[in-house]
Amino acid sequence: MQPSSPTSLDRPFLTGQPDVVQLTFVRHGKQDMPSGAFTPALWADPPLSGLGQRQAAAVGKALASEPIAAVLCSHLARAVETAREVAAPHGLEPVVYPELREVETYRDVPDGVPLEDVLSPVMWQGVRERFNRELRWDVSPFSESSAEFRYRVVTVVEGILALHKGQQLAIVCHGGVINAYLGHLLGLSQDMFFRPAHASVSRVLTGDGRRVIHTLNELHHLQAADPSLVTF
């Protein structure tokens, strides 16, 4: 057998290597956002919209032939509903980990107090401008911090990998969660470095004591079914 070159890219990127496990991240389908004024409690856990249900079905069908041994998800309705579509073709039930929930923005605003009453207009405008440039949760007052959120996400994902060692996994969760874990792998300071589409797929290869980002924001399964399924 011909030995590989010392500079072969197969081992660094875990391609064609033995005992490599694929971790597939799936963002939930589009949620049915409530109407009216922004209220953190109401906006935190909406169900899937009709379009989101179609997106969830499409990603479930796309992953049906893959050797997924376990499907994990957050406890939020949009993630659970999407996870059921991913799990069903494999005869699985999703395993719920609340730690996979989305970042908790404005969680510390007192109950019943409108957002406009907790910060002056100029400060709210400053928050918008800073987030637009910095893309960090820390700029949002009364919210889970960037460090707290990333610690929660990275720790639960690593725990899941340890508990399901050697298994091909699908984690159905949220755009911020996917960014937190992949941003950690890349050593990025930004909390959001890309925008996952609804029901998109991103993959990480694990093996040799390492994690390697394999794909980001796969959309072909949505585009092939119906281009209108691609939403953000």
Side-chain angles (χ1 to χ4, degrees), residues 172-183:
V172 183
C173 55
H174 309 270
V177 172
I178 297 168
N179 270 268
Y181 188 72
L182 301 187

Side-chain angles (χ1 to χ4, degrees), residues 52-70:
Q53 292 170 359
R54 293 176 57 209
Q55 292 167 330
V59 72
K61 182 179 179 181
L63 298 177
S65 62
E66 299 195 8
I68 294 172

